[in-house]
Amino acid sequence: MQPIRLGLVGYGKIAQDQHVPAINANRAFQLVSVATQGKPCAGVENFQSLSELLENGPPVDAIAFCTPPQGRFALVQQALAAGKHVLVEKPPCATLGEAMALVDQAKEQGVSALFAWHSRYAPGIEIARDWLATRTLQSVQIDWKEDVRKWHPGQTWIWQPGGLGVFDPGINALSIVTHLLALPLFVESAGLRVPENCQSPIAASIKMSNAQQLDVRAEFDFDHGHDELWSIEVRCKEGVLRLDNGGALLSIDGVRQAVSEEGEYAAVYRHFQQLIAEKGSDLDLQPLRLVADSFFVGSRVSVAPFYDA
């Protein structure tokens, strides 16, 4: 069977650290070209733009997008119009409306498309989801606290309009919780702390619930330079489930559970491969909707300026 010929648009940190290694490790894919205006990708043809890749590069069947969300909409539209399958790094777009339009276009074009909420593929997530399916939920506490200087050095787009700020990592937690819970969540209130020299929040406190009044709370901090924390604790009538390290570790009532050792992005590309084979798509909008609603109803407090260095 011939491999899926893949083009990559954007070759920054996430593409270099996660996407390219996962692609190269999956025999179903062959990375044949990259569109980047920065550091070139070794071993494949490099182009300055998606248009140049499509017009002058080797034939591709699918394209993975790793550019910042601002401006990505038009690029994904172009790929879909060319009949290419698409994988879109999270968050898929700068606005919910753009993401909704891509859902419609992918369906119209009859191609496979994936909004890659990579944290849903962490090793403990599916086991946790299965366990929770038969339990009586009481509350959910999310704590997602990390150091932006470590994970996004010099990436000023995060602080610009559409960059999401602390919701860039926070949306990972929301993607997990919306996958774990059967009923959709709704934002009741949000407190957004915005540095006075930025357009996006550096920290946030969110209160959510579902139709059964489940108490779901989230604390996001993007300026947490010590003891980074990515945890979700679900209290049930029958016990307490906890995910740590972004879902890589799972414990139930304090007892560590055995989980797969497959990495998130390896699982993402395996899922993309399956979608293409089955002529399907996976374009969930719930995590982005919760972020949009947090901005919509959130109260904003100005805090001290943020400096990357």
Side-chain angles (χ1 to χ4, degrees):
M1 182 179 295
Q2 292 295 318
I4 300 164
R5 298 166 298 182
L6 186 69
L8 181 67
V9 179
Y11 189 59
K13 181 175 173 58
I14 193 68
Q16 295 171 32
D17 293 351
Q18 301 293 344
H19 285 262
V20 171
I23 294 165
N24 290 338
N26 188 327
R27 293 184 178 181
F29 292 97
Q30 179 186 5
L31 182 62
V32 297
S33 56
V34 172
T36 176
Q37 296 181 355
K39 173 184 176 181
C41 179
V44 301
E45 293 192 50
N46 288 262
F47 301 90
Q48 289 292 305
S49 68
L50 173 60
S51 294
E52 186 181 346
L53 182 153
L54 290 172
E55 293 171 6
N56 303 324
V60 295
D61 306 303
I63 299 176
F65 289 88
C66 300
T67 58
Q70 304 99 316
R72 187 188 289 160
F73 174 58
L75 295 173
V76 182
Q77 278 190 313
Q78 183 181 359
L80 289 172
K84 310 303 179 185
H85 308 297
V86 298
L87 181 153
V88 187
E89 178 61 80
K90 65 86 193 176
C93 296
T95 71
L96 183 58
E98 290 178 345
M100 292 170 66
L102 292 183
V103 173
D104 291 340
Q105 187 179 358
K107 184 176 180 180
E108 291 169 2
Q109 291 293 133
V111 298
S112 294
L114 172 63
F115 289 165
W117 303 111
H118 64 83
S119 291
R120 288 182 172 177
Y121 302 85
I125 303 304
E126 288 304 319
I127 299 173
R129 189 185 193 203
D130 290 343
W131 189 85
L132 291 170
T134 57
R135 267 65 184 187
T136 306
L137 306 183
Q138 295 178 325
S139 67
V140 180
Q141 177 64 45
I142 305 165
D143 290 289
W144 224 255
K145 303 179 179 183
E146 64 182 63
D147 183 0
V148 62
R149 297 173 182 85
K150 173 181 176 182
W151 299 102
H152 296 280
Q155 296 182 19
T156 57
W157 62 267
I158 288 175
W159 306 112
Q160 298 167 358
L164 299 190
V166 73
F167 286 99
D168 181 75
I171 204 170
N172 293 335
L174 296 175
S175 73
I176 293 174
V177 172
T178 52
H179 187 62
L180 293 178
L181 305 181
L183 297 178
L185 292 175
F186 303 96
V187 178
E188 294 186 349
S189 63
L192 311 178
R193 298 182 283 284
V194 184
E196 59 185 39
N197 62 339
C198 299
Q199 297 296 315
S200 299
I202 198 166
S205 300
I206 316 295
K207 186 178 186 302
M208 296 168 281
S209 65
N210 63 13
Q212 296 179 346
Q213 302 303 310
L214 178 67
D215 184 18
V216 181
R217 300 182 186 241
E219 290 293 333
F220 298 150
D221 184 359
F222 218 1
D223 195 18
H224 197 75
H226 61 90
D227 300 327
E228 293 179 303
L229 179 64
W230 303 274
S231 73
I232 298 172
E233 185 174 276
V234 185
R235 292 190 169 272
C236 307
K237 184 177 180 180
E238 299 85 356
V240 178
L241 179 145
R242 184 179 173 95
L243 290 160
D244 285 294
N245 287 16
L249 302 177
L250 169 66
S251 61
I252 298 174
D253 292 332
V255 178
R256 183 71 56 82
Q257 306 295 305
V259 298
S260 167
E261 295 184 0
E262 184 179 39
E264 291 179 5
Y265 280 86
V268 166
Y269 276 92
R270 178 168 49 80
H271 184 43
F272 189 38
Q273 169 195 347
Q274 292 170 344
L275 288 173
I276 293 172
E278 297 168 1
K279 301 184 182 340
S281 290
D282 184 352
L283 298 169
D284 185 25
L285 296 172
Q286 296 309 304
L288 188 61
R289 178 185 61 78
L290 291 176
V291 172
D293 288 350
S294 295
F295 276 98
F296 194 68
V297 305
S299 60
R300 290 163 174 79
V301 176
S302 182
V303 297
F306 171 81
Y307 299 102
D308 192 74

